[in-house]
Amino acid sequence: MLLSFFQLSLAIRNVWPKRMSLKAFIMLYILLLLAGIPVTLLSCIPYGLFGILVAVCIYGLAAYRDTASQNVCMGMIGCVLTIVTDNCLTILLHMLIPLSLINQQYFSFGVRLIHILLFYFITLLCGRLIRKLLLSGKGILRLPQTWYLIDATLLLLITIYLFDNLIPGQNGSVGRMIYNNVLHISGYLLVMLFLLLAMRRSYLEQIQTEAKQKALQDLQDYTHNLEVMYNGLRSFKHDYVNILLSISGYIENCDMDELKKFFEDKIFPTKNLIDQGDYKLNQLSNIGVLEIKSLLSAKMIYAHESGIDVTIDIPDRVDSFLMDTVDLARILGIFLDNAIEATLETEQPQIGLNIVQNNAGVSIIISNRFRDNGMALHRLKQKGFSTKIGHQGIGLSNAQKLISSYDNVLLETTMQCGCFMQHMELTARKE
């Protein structure tokens, strides 16, 4: 018994997606011993084998959670590999070694040792090949959801084999057959429930990870632009000192004509540097919520690089927005994307962002120039309506749906004189 479960643990360890530590290997071995009690002590072979399979699945979900879906699959493959390899080696050794020698005490110990060594190297080689084929991270196999579907399929096939082939029909007893089927289905559904819960957890973690990566990328872009802005100001400060020295030379020589020419050619063009939209991004430093700051900086940087005149006014520091930041980021993303697309259709594209902290809460205003085609305001909020060809028109309707789920958020939309404005008021929640 001890040796059999050691071989099973060894095979699972050799096909495991990650390197298994000695502590984890011992824990797996003990868990399999406990799960195998019905097999050895109670002679419930099929049910005990299913219990061992369940133990392997639970261990795979609990240990190394970042590869949980792959753990379950490789653990079941390890169980199958153990049975196949052990049976093949037993048959091979019986063919090569006479039975009379195998029954001798000392010789049988050597045969068993050779059996274990061959078992280890064969499962180690097979494990490397299986990992190379399945864990390459290409195609749909890189998605955890795909691995959970493979897990469910393998589990179904193995349990069907256990309960349909290893459990006899008990002389055709209908009651016994019903009992076997109920046990079969219940056990499978129980493990499937664990797999579905793990799949849901993995999906939510994947969404959160992608959102964090997007926020980090936006923040890196924001930081890069601030560095560029700072270096530009340092360069301008250095040039400003040289400009003053040059002006003083013309003044000392009373050469007003050359001074005027120098002013028009060298000094006046620096106005464009001061007026560049990059220097307006420093207003975003007043946003104390990282997710929102990252989103706004990414959108404003994109708008400025697209040739849009960007105006940002955030006079006071804002540390909270009185609503879920994920929902607020989705809403602001929709508003800013629509504003950028709409203002790019005008001759003088402009976007304004105003965020003010007041006693009641936070006021957010997003405005942009747009080409007035006489479109009614209420139609823009309808699901499925869009002024852009090839778009589904669900952006504003989704934003409206998110806003309506909060009783402390008010939205006012206005269109007048070629200016489109979204005004959101986030107030303290009602008790």
Side-chain angles (χ1 to χ4, degrees):
M1 170 187 173
L2 296 178
L3 188 58
S4 298
F5 284 108
F6 177 76
Q7 288 186 187
L8 177 59
S9 303
L10 202 61
I12 294 175
R13 179 257 181 196
N14 287 340
V15 299
W16 203 251
K18 284 191 172 182
R19 181 180 179 84
M20 185 181 293
S21 63
L22 178 61
K23 181 180 179 181
F25 177 79
I26 294 174
M27 291 179 61
L28 174 63
Y29 180 55
I30 295 174
L31 180 63
L32 292 178
L33 283 176
L34 295 176
I37 290 177
V39 178
T40 56
L41 300 182
L42 303 180
S43 299
C44 299
I45 296 178
Y47 306 108
L49 292 177
F50 184 76
I52 294 172
L53 186 66
V54 172
V56 171
C57 294
I58 294 176
Y59 180 82
L61 294 174
Y64 308 98
R65 292 187 178 181
D66 54 334
T67 58
S69 57
Q70 298 175 358
N71 296 343
V72 174
C73 179
M74 302 303 277
M76 288 189 287
I77 291 176
C79 293
V80 176
L81 183 62
T82 300
I83 297 173
V84 174
T85 305
D86 187 69
N87 288 336
C88 290
L89 285 176
T90 301
I91 295 173
L92 179 63
L93 291 176
H94 279 296
M95 292 175 59
L96 297 177
I97 302 175
L99 185 61
S100 58
L101 293 177
I102 294 179
N103 292 330
Q104 294 181 11
Q105 182 178 359
Y106 296 104
F107 197 83
S108 63
F109 176 79
V111 172
R112 195 60 183 169
L113 181 61
I114 295 174
H115 182 102
I116 295 175
L117 291 175
L118 290 175
F119 179 88
Y120 172 76
F121 287 111
I122 291 174
T123 55
L124 182 64
L125 177 62
C126 292
R128 291 181 177 178
L129 292 176
I130 292 172
R131 286 198 299 269
K132 187 175 182 180
L133 291 174
L134 298 181
L135 304 180
S136 59
K138 298 179 180 178
I140 60 174
L141 289 179
R142 62 185 176 84
L143 301 175
Q145 292 78 12
T146 303
W147 280 98
Y148 281 119
L149 292 177
I150 296 174
D151 296 341
T153 303
L154 282 176
L155 184 62
L156 177 61
L157 294 175
I158 295 174
T159 51
I160 287 175
Y161 173 77
L162 289 177
F163 286 92
D164 289 352
N165 293 303
L166 294 185
I167 297 181
Q170 299 297 327
N171 298 323
S173 172
V174 176
R176 187 64 180 177
M177 291 176 64
I178 294 176
Y179 170 76
N180 290 340
N181 288 330
V182 171
L183 187 64
H184 172 194
I185 296 173
S186 300
Y188 180 73
L189 290 179
L190 180 63
V191 179
M192 276 296 299
L193 177 62
F194 280 105
L195 291 177
L196 290 175
L197 292 176
M199 183 187 298
R200 180 179 179 273
R201 181 186 180 93
S202 174
Y203 178 70
L204 294 177
E205 290 178 351
Q206 181 180 352
I207 292 178
Q208 293 176 356
T209 301
E210 291 177 353
K212 290 180 180 179
Q213 290 177 348
K214 180 65 169 59
L216 179 61
Q217 182 61 46
D218 292 342
L219 184 61
Q220 289 176 346
D221 294 339
Y222 172 66
T223 304
H224 172 71
N225 278 270
L226 285 182
E227 291 176 353
V228 172
M229 178 187 70
Y230 177 71
N231 292 332
L233 286 175
R234 287 184 59 189
S235 176
F236 178 76
K237 180 180 178 181
H238 180 267
D239 294 341
Y240 179 72
V241 175
N242 293 331
I243 289 173
L244 291 179
L245 293 175
S246 301
I247 291 176
S248 64
Y250 289 115
I251 293 175
E252 289 176 359
N253 295 331
C254 297
D255 193 348
M256 300 306 296
D257 293 334
E258 290 296 325
L259 177 61
K260 179 180 178 181
K261 182 179 179 182
F262 178 76
F263 176 81
E264 292 177 349
D265 295 342
K266 303 296 183 180
I267 299 178
F268 188 74
T270 59
K271 174 180 179 296
N272 296 329
L273 176 64
I274 299 175
D275 290 339
Q276 279 183 359
D278 288 343
Y279 300 100
K280 301 172 185 178
L281 293 175
N282 62 351
Q283 292 275 336
L284 294 176
S285 62
N286 287 330
I287 301 295
V289 182
L290 177 61
E291 301 94 317
I292 305 302
K293 178 192 290 186
S294 301
L295 172 74
L296 294 178
S297 63
K299 299 298 182 184
M300 293 296 101
I301 290 170
Y302 174 75
H304 173 64
E305 292 177 348
S306 299
I308 300 174
D309 183 14
V310 176
T311 301
I312 302 175
D313 184 20
I314 309 175
D316 302 315
R317 183 169 180 81
V318 182
D319 291 318
S320 64
F321 287 91
L322 303 173
M323 70 179 297
D324 185 76
T325 55
V326 175
D327 291 340
L328 179 59
R330 291 175 62 187
I331 294 169
L332 294 179
I334 292 171
F335 287 168
L336 289 172
D337 287 339
N338 288 341
I340 292 172
E341 292 181 6
T343 197
L344 285 175
E345 297 177 355
T346 64
E347 295 181 358
Q348 296 180 339
Q350 293 181 359
I351 283 183
L353 173 65
N354 179 262
I355 302 178
V356 179
Q357 178 85 56
N358 50 49
N359 294 332
V362 181
S363 175
I364 303 176
I365 300 175
I366 298 175
S367 60
N368 63 276
R369 286 184 175 273
F370 75 104
R371 187 171 59 185
D372 193 352
N373 295 324
M375 187 64 60
L377 179 60
H378 70 275
R379 294 197 63 190
L380 294 176
K381 299 180 181 180
Q382 295 177 355
K383 186 176 181 179
F385 177 82
S386 176
T387 59
K388 300 181 284 292
I389 299 176
H391 287 241
Q392 297 178 348
I394 59 176
L396 288 177
S397 64
N398 284 345
Q400 188 67 39
K401 184 177 180 180
L402 288 172
I403 292 172
S404 62
S405 64
Y406 291 87
D407 58 3
N408 65 316
V409 180
L410 299 176
L411 174 65
E412 180 184 8
T413 305
T414 58
M415 297 170 55
Q416 57 181 2
C417 301
C419 180
F420 187 89
M421 181 181 297
Q422 300 276 20
H423 181 188
M424 269 203 312
E425 287 287 343
L426 285 71
T427 58
R429 287 183 170 85
K430 298 178 181 180
E431 299 294 339

